[in-house]
Coordinates of all heavy atoms in Angstrom, one line a residue:
M21 N 12.3 -15.9 2.2 CA 13.4 -15.0 2.4 C 13.1 -14.1 3.6 O 12.0 -13.5 3.7 CB 13.6 -14.1 1.1 CG 14.6 -13.1 1.3 SD 15.2 -12.3 -0.1 CE 15.9 -13.6 -1.0
V22 N 14.1 -13.9 4.4 CA 14.0 -13.0 5.6 C 14.3 -11.6 5.1 O 15.4 -11.4 4.5 CB 14.9 -13.4 6.7 CG1 14.9 -12.4 7.8 CG2 14.6 -14.8 7.2
C23 N 13.5 -10.6 5.4 CA 13.7 -9.2 5.1 C 13.5 -8.5 6.4 O 12.5 -8.6 7.1 CB 12.8 -8.7 4.1 SG 13.1 -9.2 2.4
T24 N 14.5 -7.7 6.9 CA 14.4 -7.0 8.1 C 15.0 -5.6 8.1 O 15.9 -5.4 7.3 CB 15.1 -7.9 9.2 OG1 15.0 -7.2 10.5 CG2 16.6 -8.1 8.9
T25 N 14.5 -4.8 8.9 CA 15.0 -3.4 8.9 C 16.3 -3.3 9.8 O 17.0 -2.3 9.8 CB 14.0 -2.4 9.5 OG1 13.6 -2.9 10.8 CG2 12.7 -2.3 8.6
T26 N 16.5 -4.4 10.5 CA 17.7 -4.4 11.4 C 19.0 -4.8 10.6 O 18.9 -5.4 9.5 CB 17.5 -5.4 12.5 OG1 17.3 -6.7 12.0 CG2 16.3 -5.0 13.4
P27 N 20.2 -4.5 11.1 CA 21.4 -4.8 10.3 C 21.8 -6.2 10.5 O 22.7 -6.7 9.8 CB 22.4 -3.8 10.9 CG 21.9 -3.6 12.3 CD 20.4 -3.6 12.2
T28 N 21.2 -7.0 11.4 CA 21.5 -8.4 11.6 C 20.3 -9.2 11.7 O 19.2 -8.6 11.9 CB 22.4 -8.6 12.9 OG1 21.6 -8.1 14.0 CG2 23.7 -7.8 12.8
I29 N 20.4 -10.5 11.7 CA 19.3 -11.4 12.0 C 19.6 -12.2 13.2 O 20.7 -12.9 13.2 CB 19.0 -12.3 10.8 CG1 18.7 -11.4 9.5 CG2 17.9 -13.3 11.0 CD1 18.6 -12.2 8.2
E30 N 18.8 -12.2 14.2 CA 19.0 -12.9 15.4 C 19.2 -14.4 15.1 O 18.5 -15.0 14.3 CB 17.9 -12.7 16.4 CG 18.1 -13.3 17.8 CD 17.0 -12.9 18.8 OE1 16.2 -12.1 18.5 OE2 17.1 -13.5 19.8
N31 N 20.2 -15.0 15.8 CA 20.6 -16.4 15.6 C 21.0 -16.8 14.2 O 20.9 -18.0 13.8 CB 19.4 -17.3 16.1 CG 19.0 -17.1 17.5 OD1 19.9 -16.9 18.4 ND2 17.7 -17.1 17.8
A32 N 21.5 -15.8 13.5 CA 22.0 -16.1 12.2 C 23.3 -15.4 12.0 O 23.5 -14.3 12.5 CB 21.0 -15.7 11.1
E33 N 24.2 -16.0 11.2 CA 25.5 -15.3 10.9 C 25.5 -14.9 9.4 O 25.2 -15.7 8.5 CB 26.6 -16.3 11.1 CG 28.0 -15.8 10.7 CD 29.0 -16.9 10.7 OE1 28.7 -18.1 10.9 OE2 30.2 -16.6 10.5
I34 N 25.8 -13.6 9.2 CA 25.9 -13.2 7.8 C 27.3 -13.6 7.3 O 28.3 -13.3 7.8 CB 25.8 -11.6 7.7 CG1 24.4 -11.2 8.1 CG2 26.1 -11.2 6.3 CD1 24.2 -9.7 8.2
V35 N 27.3 -14.5 6.2 CA 28.5 -15.0 5.7 C 28.9 -14.3 4.4 O 30.1 -14.4 4.0 CB 28.4 -16.5 5.5 CG1 28.2 -17.3 6.8 CG2 27.3 -16.9 4.5
S36 N 28.0 -13.6 3.8 CA 28.4 -12.9 2.6 C 27.4 -11.7 2.3 O 26.2 -11.8 2.5 CB 28.3 -13.8 1.4 OG 28.7 -13.2 0.2
Y37 N 28.1 -10.5 2.0 CA 27.3 -9.4 1.6 C 27.3 -9.3 0.1 O 28.4 -9.3 -0.5 CB 27.9 -8.1 2.2 CG 27.7 -8.0 3.7 CD1 28.6 -8.6 4.6 CD2 26.7 -7.3 4.2 CE1 28.5 -8.5 6.0 CE2 26.5 -7.2 5.6 CZ 27.4 -7.8 6.5 OH 27.2 -7.7 7.8
L38 N 26.2 -9.2 -0.6 CA 26.1 -9.3 -2.0 C 25.8 -8.0 -2.7 O 25.9 -7.9 -3.9 CB 25.1 -10.3 -2.4 CG 25.3 -11.7 -1.9 CD1 24.2 -12.7 -2.2 CD2 26.6 -12.3 -2.3
G39 N 25.4 -7.0 -1.9 CA 25.2 -5.6 -2.5 C 23.8 -5.1 -2.2 O 23.0 -5.8 -1.6
I40 N 23.6 -3.9 -2.5 CA 22.4 -3.2 -2.3 C 21.4 -3.6 -3.4 O 21.7 -3.7 -4.5 CB 22.6 -1.6 -2.4 CG1 23.5 -1.2 -1.2 CG2 21.2 -0.9 -2.3 CD1 23.9 0.2 -1.3
V41 N 20.1 -3.9 -2.9 CA 19.1 -4.2 -3.8 C 17.9 -3.3 -3.6 O 17.7 -2.7 -2.5 CB 18.6 -5.7 -3.6 CG1 19.6 -6.7 -4.2 CG2 18.3 -6.0 -2.2
T42 N 17.1 -3.0 -4.6 CA 16.0 -2.1 -4.5 C 14.8 -2.6 -5.2 O 14.8 -3.6 -6.0 CB 16.4 -0.7 -5.2 OG1 16.6 -1.0 -6.6 CG2 17.6 -0.1 -4.6
G43 N 13.7 -2.0 -4.9 CA 12.4 -2.3 -5.5 C 11.6 -1.0 -5.6 O 11.6 -0.3 -4.6
E44 N 11.0 -0.7 -6.7 CA 10.3 0.6 -6.8 C 9.0 0.3 -7.5 O 8.9 -0.5 -8.4 CB 11.0 1.6 -7.7 CG 12.4 1.9 -7.2 CD 13.5 1.0 -7.7 OE1 13.3 0.1 -8.5 OE2 14.6 1.0 -7.1
V45 N 7.9 1.0 -7.1 CA 6.6 0.9 -7.7 C 6.0 2.3 -7.7 O 6.1 3.0 -6.7 CB 5.7 0.0 -6.8 CG1 4.2 0.1 -7.4 CG2 6.2 -1.5 -6.9
V46 N 5.6 2.7 -8.9 CA 4.8 3.9 -9.1 C 3.4 3.5 -9.4 O 3.2 2.8 -10.4 CB 5.4 4.8 -10.1 CG1 4.5 6.1 -10.3 CG2 6.8 5.2 -9.8
S47 N 2.5 4.0 -8.6 CA 1.1 3.5 -8.7 C 0.2 4.7 -8.8 O 0.3 5.7 -8.1 CB 0.7 2.7 -7.5 OG -0.6 2.2 -7.6
G48 N -0.8 4.7 -9.8 CA -1.8 5.7 -9.9 C -3.0 5.4 -9.1 O -3.3 4.3 -8.8
V49 N -3.6 6.5 -8.6 CA -4.8 6.4 -7.8 C -5.9 6.9 -8.7 O -5.9 8.0 -9.3 CB -4.8 7.2 -6.5 CG1 -6.1 7.1 -5.8 CG2 -3.6 6.7 -5.7
D50 N -7.0 6.1 -8.9 CA -8.0 6.4 -9.9 C -8.9 7.6 -9.3 O -8.9 7.9 -8.1 CB -8.9 5.2 -10.3 CG -9.6 4.6 -9.1 OD1 -10.1 5.4 -8.3 OD2 -9.8 3.4 -9.2
F51 N -9.7 8.1 -10.2 CA -10.5 9.3 -9.9 C -11.5 9.0 -8.7 O -11.6 9.9 -7.8 CB -11.3 9.8 -11.1 CG -12.3 10.9 -10.8 CD1 -11.9 12.2 -10.6 CD2 -13.6 10.6 -10.7 CE1 -12.8 13.2 -10.3 CE2 -14.5 11.6 -10.4 CZ -14.1 12.9 -10.2
I52 N -12.1 7.9 -8.7 CA -13.1 7.6 -7.7 C -12.4 7.5 -6.3 O -12.9 8.1 -5.3 CB -13.8 6.2 -7.9 CG1 -14.5 6.2 -9.3 CG2 -14.7 5.8 -6.8 CD1 -15.6 7.3 -9.4
R53 N -11.3 6.9 -6.2 CA -10.6 6.9 -4.9 C -10.1 8.3 -4.5 O -10.2 8.6 -3.3 CB -9.4 5.9 -5.0 CG -9.8 4.5 -5.0 CD -8.5 3.6 -5.0 NE -8.9 2.2 -5.0 CZ -8.1 1.2 -5.1 NH1 -6.8 1.4 -5.2 NH2 -8.6 0.0 -5.2
D54 N -9.6 9.0 -5.5 CA -9.2 10.4 -5.2 C -10.3 11.2 -4.7 O -10.2 12.0 -3.8 CB -8.5 10.9 -6.5 CG -7.6 12.1 -6.2 OD1 -7.0 12.1 -5.1 OD2 -7.5 13.0 -7.1
F55 N -11.5 11.1 -5.4 CA -12.7 11.9 -5.0 C -13.1 11.5 -3.6 O -13.4 12.3 -2.7 CB -13.8 11.6 -6.0 CG -15.0 12.4 -5.6 CD1 -15.1 13.8 -5.8 CD2 -16.2 11.7 -5.1 CE1 -16.2 14.5 -5.4 CE2 -17.3 12.4 -4.8 CZ -17.4 13.8 -5.0
G56 N -13.1 10.2 -3.3 CA -13.5 9.7 -1.9 C -12.5 10.2 -0.9 O -12.9 10.6 0.2
A57 N -11.2 10.2 -1.2 CA -10.2 10.7 -0.3 C -10.4 12.2 0.0 O -10.2 12.6 1.1 CB -8.8 10.4 -0.8
S58 N -10.8 12.9 -1.0 CA -10.9 14.4 -0.8 C -12.1 14.7 0.1 O -12.1 15.6 0.9 CB -11.0 15.1 -2.1 OG -12.2 14.7 -2.8
I59 N -13.2 13.9 0.0 CA -14.3 14.0 0.9 C -13.9 13.7 2.3 O -14.2 14.4 3.2 CB -15.5 13.1 0.4 CG1 -16.1 13.7 -0.9 CG2 -16.6 13.0 1.5 CD1 -17.1 12.9 -1.6
R60 N -13.2 12.6 2.5 CA -12.8 12.2 3.8 C -11.8 13.2 4.4 O -11.8 13.4 5.6 CB -12.1 10.8 3.8 CG -13.1 9.7 3.7 CD -12.5 8.3 3.7 NE -13.5 7.3 3.3 CZ -13.9 7.0 2.1 NH1 -13.4 7.7 1.1 NH2 -14.7 6.1 1.9
N61 N -11.0 13.8 3.5 CA -10.1 14.9 4.0 C -10.9 16.1 4.6 O -10.5 16.7 5.5 CB -9.2 15.4 2.8 CG -8.1 16.3 3.3 OD1 -7.6 16.2 4.4 ND2 -7.7 17.2 2.4
F62 N -12.1 16.3 4.0 CA -12.9 17.4 4.4 C -13.7 17.1 5.7 O -13.8 17.9 6.6 CB -13.9 17.8 3.3 CG -14.8 18.9 3.6 CD1 -14.3 20.2 3.7 CD2 -16.1 18.7 3.8 CE1 -15.2 21.3 4.0 CE2 -17.0 19.7 4.2 CZ -16.5 21.0 4.2
I63 N -14.3 15.9 5.7 CA -15.1 15.5 6.9 C -14.4 14.7 7.9 O -14.9 14.4 9.0 CB -16.4 14.8 6.4 CG1 -16.0 13.4 5.8 CG2 -17.2 15.6 5.6 CD1 -17.2 12.6 5.4
G64 N -13.2 14.2 7.6 CA -12.4 13.4 8.5 C -12.6 11.9 8.3 O -13.5 11.5 7.6
G65 N -11.7 11.1 8.8 CA -11.8 9.6 8.6 C -10.7 9.1 7.7 O -9.9 9.9 7.2
R66 N -10.6 7.8 7.6 CA -9.6 7.1 6.9 C -10.0 6.9 5.4 O -11.2 6.7 5.2 CB -9.3 5.8 7.5 CG -8.7 6.0 8.9 CD -8.5 4.7 9.7 NE -7.6 3.8 9.0 CZ -7.1 2.7 9.5 NH1 -7.4 2.4 10.7 NH2 -6.3 2.0 8.8
S67 N -9.0 6.9 4.6 CA -9.3 6.6 3.2 C -8.9 5.2 2.8 O -7.7 5.0 2.6 CB -8.5 7.6 2.3 OG -8.6 7.3 0.9
S68 N -9.8 4.3 2.9 CA -9.5 2.9 2.6 C -9.0 2.7 1.2 O -8.1 1.8 1.0 CB -10.7 2.0 2.9 OG -11.7 2.3 2.0
G69 N -9.4 3.4 0.2 CA -8.9 3.3 -1.1 C -7.4 3.6 -1.2 O -6.7 2.8 -1.8
Y70 N -7.0 4.7 -0.6 CA -5.6 5.0 -0.6 C -4.8 4.0 0.2 O -3.7 3.6 -0.1 CB -5.3 6.4 0.0 CG -5.5 7.5 -1.0 CD1 -5.9 8.8 -0.6 CD2 -5.2 7.4 -2.4 CE1 -6.0 9.8 -1.5 CE2 -5.3 8.4 -3.3 CZ -5.7 9.6 -2.8 OH -5.8 10.7 -3.7
E71 N -5.3 3.6 1.3 CA -4.6 2.6 2.2 C -4.4 1.3 1.5 O -3.3 0.7 1.5 CB -5.4 2.4 3.5 CG -5.4 3.6 4.4 CD -6.3 3.4 5.6 OE1 -7.0 2.4 5.7 OE2 -6.3 4.3 6.5
E72 N -5.4 0.8 0.7 CA -5.3 -0.4 0.0 C -4.2 -0.3 -1.1 O -3.4 -1.2 -1.3 CB -6.6 -0.8 -0.6 CG -7.7 -1.2 0.4 CD -9.1 -1.3 -0.2 OE1 -9.2 -1.2 -1.4 OE2 -10.0 -1.6 0.6
E73 N -4.2 0.9 -1.8 CA -3.2 1.1 -2.8 C -1.8 1.2 -2.2 O -0.9 0.7 -2.8 CB -3.6 2.4 -3.6 CG -2.8 2.5 -4.9 CD -3.0 1.4 -5.9 OE1 -4.2 1.0 -6.0 OE2 -2.1 1.0 -6.5
L74 N -1.7 1.8 -1.1 CA -0.4 1.9 -0.4 C 0.1 0.5 0.0 O 1.3 0.2 -0.2 CB -0.6 2.8 0.8 CG 0.7 3.1 1.6 CD1 1.7 3.9 0.7 CD2 0.3 3.9 2.8
I75 N -0.8 -0.3 0.5 CA -0.4 -1.6 1.0 C 0.1 -2.4 -0.3 O 1.1 -3.1 -0.3 CB -1.5 -2.3 1.7 CG1 -1.7 -1.7 3.1 CG2 -1.3 -3.8 1.8 CD1 -3.0 -2.1 3.7
R76 N -0.7 -2.4 -1.3 CA -0.4 -3.1 -2.5 C 0.9 -2.7 -3.1 O 1.8 -3.5 -3.5 CB -1.5 -3.0 -3.6 CG -1.4 -3.8 -4.8 CD -2.6 -3.8 -5.7 NE -3.5 -2.7 -5.6 CZ -4.7 -2.8 -4.9 NH1 -5.0 -3.9 -4.3 NH2 -5.5 -1.8 -4.9
A77 N 1.2 -1.4 -3.2 CA 2.4 -0.8 -3.7 C 3.6 -1.3 -2.9 O 4.7 -1.6 -3.4 CB 2.3 0.7 -3.8
R78 N 3.5 -1.2 -1.6 CA 4.6 -1.6 -0.7 C 4.9 -3.1 -0.8 O 6.1 -3.5 -1.0 CB 4.2 -1.3 0.8 CG 5.4 -1.6 1.7 CD 5.0 -1.4 3.2 NE 3.9 -2.2 3.6 CZ 2.7 -1.7 4.1 NH1 2.5 -0.4 4.2 NH2 1.8 -2.5 4.4
E79 N 3.9 -3.9 -0.9 CA 4.1 -5.4 -1.0 C 4.7 -5.7 -2.4 O 5.7 -6.5 -2.5 CB 2.8 -6.1 -0.9 CG 2.3 -6.1 0.6 CD 0.9 -6.7 0.7 OE1 0.2 -7.0 -0.3 OE2 0.5 -6.9 1.9
D80 N 4.3 -5.0 -3.4 CA 4.9 -5.2 -4.8 C 6.4 -4.8 -4.8 O 7.3 -5.5 -5.3 CB 4.2 -4.4 -5.8 CG 2.8 -5.0 -6.2 OD1 2.5 -6.2 -5.7 OD2 2.0 -4.3 -6.8
A81 N 6.7 -3.6 -4.1 CA 8.1 -3.1 -4.1 C 9.0 -4.1 -3.3 O 10.1 -4.4 -3.7 CB 8.1 -1.7 -3.5
L82 N 8.4 -4.6 -2.2 CA 9.2 -5.6 -1.4 C 9.5 -6.9 -2.2 O 10.6 -7.4 -2.2 CB 8.5 -5.9 -0.1 CG 8.6 -4.8 1.0 CD1 7.6 -5.1 2.1 CD2 10.0 -4.7 1.6
R83 N 8.4 -7.4 -2.9 CA 8.6 -8.6 -3.7 C 9.7 -8.3 -4.8 O 10.5 -9.2 -5.1 CB 7.3 -9.0 -4.4 CG 6.5 -10.0 -3.6 CD 5.4 -10.6 -4.4 NE 4.5 -9.7 -4.9 CZ 3.4 -9.1 -4.2 NH1 3.2 -9.5 -3.0 NH2 2.6 -8.3 -4.8
E84 N 9.6 -7.2 -5.4 CA 10.6 -6.8 -6.4 C 12.0 -6.8 -5.9 O 13.0 -7.4 -6.5 CB 10.3 -5.5 -7.0 CG 11.1 -5.1 -8.2 CD 10.7 -3.7 -8.8 OE1 9.6 -3.7 -9.3 OE2 11.5 -2.8 -8.7
M85 N 12.2 -6.2 -4.7 CA 13.5 -6.2 -4.0 C 14.0 -7.6 -3.7 O 15.1 -8.0 -3.9 CB 13.5 -5.4 -2.8 CG 14.8 -5.3 -2.0 SD 14.7 -4.5 -0.4 CE 13.7 -5.7 0.5
E86 N 13.1 -8.5 -3.2 CA 13.4 -9.8 -2.8 C 13.8 -10.6 -4.1 O 14.8 -11.4 -4.0 CB 12.2 -10.5 -2.1 CG 12.0 -10.0 -0.7 CD 10.7 -10.6 -0.2 OE1 10.0 -11.4 -0.8 OE2 10.4 -10.3 1.0
G87 N 13.1 -10.4 -5.2 CA 13.5 -11.1 -6.4 C 14.9 -10.7 -6.9 O 15.7 -11.6 -7.3
R88 N 15.2 -9.4 -6.8 CA 16.6 -9.0 -7.1 C 17.6 -9.6 -6.2 O 18.7 -9.9 -6.7 CB 16.6 -7.5 -7.2 CG 15.8 -6.9 -8.3 CD 15.8 -5.4 -8.3 NE 15.1 -4.9 -9.5 CZ 14.7 -3.7 -9.6 NH1 14.9 -2.8 -8.6 NH2 14.0 -3.3 -10.6
A89 N 17.3 -9.7 -4.9 CA 18.2 -10.3 -4.0 C 18.4 -11.8 -4.3 O 19.6 -12.3 -4.3 CB 17.7 -10.2 -2.6
Q90 N 17.4 -12.5 -4.7 CA 17.5 -13.9 -5.0 C 18.3 -14.1 -6.3 O 19.1 -15.1 -6.4 CB 16.1 -14.5 -5.2 CG 15.4 -14.8 -3.9 CD 13.9 -15.3 -4.1 OE1 13.3 -15.0 -5.2 NE2 13.4 -16.0 -3.1
Q91 N 18.2 -13.2 -7.2 CA 19.0 -13.3 -8.4 C 20.5 -13.2 -8.1 O 21.3 -13.7 -8.9 CB 18.6 -12.2 -9.4 CG 17.3 -12.4 -10.1 CD 16.9 -11.2 -11.0 OE1 17.4 -10.1 -10.9 NE2 15.9 -11.5 -11.8
L92 N 20.8 -12.5 -7.0 CA 22.2 -12.4 -6.6 C 22.7 -13.6 -5.8 O 23.9 -13.7 -5.4 CB 22.4 -11.1 -5.8 CG 22.3 -9.8 -6.5 CD1 22.4 -8.6 -5.5 CD2 23.3 -9.6 -7.7
G93 N 21.7 -14.5 -5.4 CA 22.1 -15.6 -4.6 C 21.8 -15.4 -3.1 O 22.3 -16.2 -2.3
A94 N 21.1 -14.4 -2.7 CA 20.9 -14.0 -1.3 C 19.8 -14.9 -0.8 O 18.9 -15.3 -1.5 CB 20.6 -12.6 -1.2
N95 N 19.8 -15.1 0.5 CA 18.7 -15.7 1.2 C 18.1 -14.8 2.3 O 17.2 -15.2 3.0 CB 19.0 -17.1 1.8 CG 20.1 -17.0 2.9 OD1 20.7 -16.0 3.1 ND2 20.4 -18.2 3.5
A96 N 18.5 -13.5 2.3 CA 18.0 -12.6 3.2 C 18.4 -11.2 2.8 O 19.3 -11.0 2.0 CB 18.5 -12.8 4.6
V97 N 17.6 -10.2 3.3 CA 17.9 -8.8 3.0 C 17.9 -8.1 4.4 O 16.9 -8.2 5.1 CB 16.9 -8.1 2.0 CG1 17.3 -6.7 1.8 CG2 16.9 -8.9 0.7
V98 N 19.0 -7.4 4.7 CA 19.0 -6.6 6.0 C 19.0 -5.1 5.7 O 19.4 -4.7 4.6 CB 20.2 -7.1 6.8 CG1 20.2 -8.5 7.2 CG2 21.5 -6.8 6.1
G99 N 18.7 -4.4 6.8 CA 18.8 -2.9 6.7 C 17.7 -2.4 5.7 O 18.0 -1.3 5.1
V100 N 16.6 -3.0 5.6 CA 15.5 -2.6 4.7 C 15.0 -1.2 5.1 O 14.7 -1.0 6.2 CB 14.4 -3.6 4.6 CG1 13.3 -3.1 3.8 CG2 14.9 -5.0 4.1
D101 N 14.9 -0.3 4.1 CA 14.3 1.0 4.3 C 13.2 1.2 3.3 O 13.3 0.8 2.1 CB 15.4 2.1 4.0 CG 14.8 3.5 4.2 OD1 14.3 3.8 5.3 OD2 15.0 4.3 3.3
I102 N 12.0 1.7 3.7 CA 10.9 1.9 2.9 C 10.6 3.4 2.8 O 10.5 4.0 3.9 CB 9.6 1.1 3.4 CG1 10.0 -0.4 3.6 CG2 8.4 1.3 2.5 CD1 8.9 -1.2 4.3
D103 N 10.5 3.9 1.6 CA 10.2 5.3 1.4 C 8.9 5.5 0.6 O 8.7 4.7 -0.4 CB 11.3 6.0 0.7 CG 12.6 6.1 1.6 OD1 12.4 6.6 2.8 OD2 13.6 5.8 1.2
Y104 N 8.1 6.5 0.9 CA 6.9 6.8 0.2 C 7.0 8.2 -0.3 O 7.4 9.1 0.4 CB 5.7 6.7 1.1 CG 5.5 5.4 1.8 CD1 6.1 5.1 3.0 CD2 4.8 4.4 1.2 CE1 6.0 3.9 3.7 CE2 4.7 3.1 1.8 CZ 5.3 2.9 3.1 OH 5.1 1.7 3.7
E105 N 6.5 8.5 -1.6 CA 6.5 9.8 -2.1 C 5.2 10.0 -2.9 O 4.7 9.0 -3.5 CB 7.7 10.0 -3.1 CG 9.0 10.0 -2.5 CD 9.3 11.2 -1.6 OE1 8.7 12.3 -1.8 OE2 10.1 11.0 -0.6
V106 N 4.7 11.2 -3.0 CA 3.5 11.5 -3.8 C 4.1 12.3 -5.0 O 4.9 13.2 -4.8 CB 2.5 12.3 -3.0 CG1 1.4 12.7 -3.9 CG2 2.0 11.6 -1.8
L107 N 3.7 11.8 -6.2 CA 4.2 12.4 -7.4 C 3.0 13.2 -8.2 O 1.9 12.9 -8.0 CB 4.8 11.4 -8.3 CG 5.9 10.5 -7.8 CD1 6.2 9.4 -8.7 CD2 7.1 11.3 -7.4
G108 N 3.4 14.1 -9.0 CA 2.5 14.8 -9.9 C 1.5 15.6 -9.0 O 1.9 16.3 -8.1
Q109 N 0.2 15.6 -9.4 CA -0.8 16.4 -8.7 C -1.4 15.6 -7.5 O -2.5 15.9 -7.1 CB -1.9 16.7 -9.7 CG -1.4 17.5 -10.9 CD -0.9 18.9 -10.5 OE1 -1.5 19.5 -9.7 NE2 0.2 19.2 -11.1
G110 N -0.6 14.7 -7.0 CA -1.1 14.0 -5.8 C -1.8 12.7 -6.2 O -2.3 12.0 -5.3
N111 N -1.9 12.3 -7.4 CA -2.6 11.1 -7.8 C -1.6 10.0 -8.2 O -2.1 8.9 -8.7 CB -3.6 11.4 -8.9 CG -2.9 11.9 -10.2 OD1 -1.7 12.3 -10.2 ND2 -3.7 12.1 -11.2
M112 N -0.4 10.1 -8.0 CA 0.6 9.1 -8.2 C 1.4 8.8 -6.9 O 1.8 9.8 -6.2 CB 1.6 9.5 -9.3 CG 0.9 9.7 -10.6 SD 0.3 8.2 -11.4 CE 1.7 7.4 -11.9
L113 N 1.5 7.6 -6.6 CA 2.2 7.2 -5.3 C 3.5 6.4 -5.7 O 3.4 5.4 -6.5 CB 1.3 6.3 -4.5 CG 1.9 5.7 -3.3 CD1 2.3 6.8 -2.2 CD2 0.9 4.7 -2.6
M114 N 4.6 6.7 -5.2 CA 5.8 6.0 -5.4 C 6.3 5.4 -4.1 O 6.4 6.0 -3.1 CB 7.0 6.8 -6.0 CG 8.2 6.0 -6.2 SD 9.6 6.9 -6.9 CE 10.1 7.9 -5.5
V115 N 6.5 4.1 -4.1 CA 7.1 3.4 -3.0 C 8.4 2.8 -3.4 O 8.5 2.1 -4.4 CB 6.2 2.2 -2.5 CG1 6.8 1.5 -1.3 CG2 4.8 2.8 -2.1
S116 N 9.5 3.1 -2.7 CA 10.8 2.5 -3.0 C 11.3 1.9 -1.7 O 11.2 2.4 -0.6 CB 11.7 3.6 -3.5 OG 11.9 4.6 -2.5
V117 N 11.9 0.7 -1.9 CA 12.5 0.0 -0.8 C 13.9 -0.4 -1.2 O 14.3 -0.5 -2.4 CB 11.7 -1.3 -0.5 CG1 10.3 -1.0 0.0 CG2 11.7 -2.3 -1.6
S118 N 14.8 -0.4 -0.2 CA 16.2 -0.8 -0.5 C 16.7 -1.5 0.8 O 16.2 -1.4 1.9 CB 17.1 0.4 -0.7 OG 17.1 1.3 0.4
G119 N 17.7 -2.3 0.5 CA 18.4 -3.1 1.6 C 19.6 -3.7 1.1 O 20.0 -3.6 -0.1
T120 N 20.3 -4.5 2.0 CA 21.5 -5.2 1.6 C 21.2 -6.7 1.5 O 20.8 -7.3 2.4 CB 22.6 -4.9 2.6 OG1 22.8 -3.5 2.7 CG2 23.9 -5.6 2.2
A121 N 21.5 -7.2 0.3 CA 21.3 -8.6 0.0 C 22.5 -9.4 0.7 O 23.6 -9.0 0.5 CB 21.3 -8.9 -1.5
V122 N 22.1 -10.4 1.5 CA 23.1 -11.2 2.2 C 22.8 -12.6 2.1 O 21.7 -13.1 1.8 CB 23.2 -10.7 3.7 CG1 23.6 -9.3 3.8 CG2 21.9 -11.0 4.4
V123 N 23.9 -13.4 2.4 CA 23.7 -14.9 2.6 C 23.9 -15.1 4.1 O 24.9 -14.6 4.7 CB 24.7 -15.7 1.8 CG1 24.6 -17.2 2.1 CG2 24.5 -15.4 0.3
V124 N 22.9 -15.7 4.7 CA 23.0 -16.0 6.2 C 23.0 -17.5 6.4 O 22.5 -18.3 5.6 CB 21.9 -15.3 7.0 CG1 22.0 -13.8 6.9 CG2 20.5 -15.8 6.6
R125 N 23.6 -17.9 7.5 CA 23.7 -19.3 7.9 C 23.1 -19.3 9.3 O 23.4 -18.5 10.2 CB 25.1 -19.8 7.9 CG 25.3 -21.2 8.2 CD 26.7 -21.7 8.1 NE 27.7 -20.8 8.6 CZ 28.8 -20.5 8.0 NH1 29.1 -21.0 6.9 NH2 29.7 -19.7 8.6
G126 N 22.2 -20.3 9.5 CA 21.7 -20.5 10.9 C 20.4 -19.8 11.2 O 20.0 -19.6 12.3
K127 N 19.6 -19.4 10.2 CA 18.4 -18.6 10.5 C 17.2 -19.5 10.8 O 17.1 -20.7 10.6 CB 18.0 -17.7 9.3 CG 17.7 -18.5 8.0 CD 17.2 -17.5 7.0 CE 17.0 -18.3 5.7 NZ 16.0 -17.8 4.9

């Protein structure tokens, strides 16, 4: 399935708009990662634990959205938007994605 942030797909014609589809993931960050991130925040550097969790949450949310689009009969999602939020005391991460499920011809 093609998922794109653009409103169209190059060399493809949108023949049907099926509606807005979404995917959401709320993911907890464990104490060890949180502790490691706080140390990196103090001394500088990247937090690979948080980065890995962020990547995993984003990929899961995109898969969820694609699955909902397929249930509607779509073969693509256009206008995809990805949002990130920190919930609670900073140890919960929410990733939400949305887009428009479409049927395209000629991709």
Side-chain angles (χ1 to χ4, degrees):
M21 173 167 299
V22 174
C23 289
T24 180
T25 58
T26 61
T28 60
I29 299 171
E30 190 172 347
N31 299 322
E33 174 190 8
I34 296 175
V35 295
S36 182
Y37 290 87
L38 304 176
I40 296 170
V41 287
T42 62
E44 302 85 12
V45 171
V46 176
S47 180
V49 179
D50 64 36
F51 173 75
I52 301 298
R53 287 184 182 173
D54 200 32
F55 180 72
S58 64
I59 290 172
R60 282 182 193 78
N61 190 32
F62 181 72
I63 63 173
R66 295 172 61 165
S67 172
S68 62
Y70 275 151
E71 289 174 358
E72 290 168 8
E73 192 61 38
L74 183 63
I75 290 166
R76 188 172 17 262
R78 182 182 62 239
E79 289 173 350
D80 288 349
L82 285 166
R83 267 194 303 277
E84 186 176 294
M85 180 189 68
E86 289 173 359
R88 290 177 178 164
Q90 286 176 335
Q91 289 176 344
L92 294 175
N95 63 355
V97 180
V98 296
V100 173
D101 181 55
I102 303 172
D103 291 311
Y104 304 91
E105 296 290 331
V106 176
L107 304 174
Q109 300 297 317
N111 59 351
M112 299 292 286
L113 172 67
M114 180 177 75
V115 179
S116 61
V117 297
S118 62
T120 302
V122 296
V123 174
V124 296
R125 183 173 44 222
K127 62 177 181 149

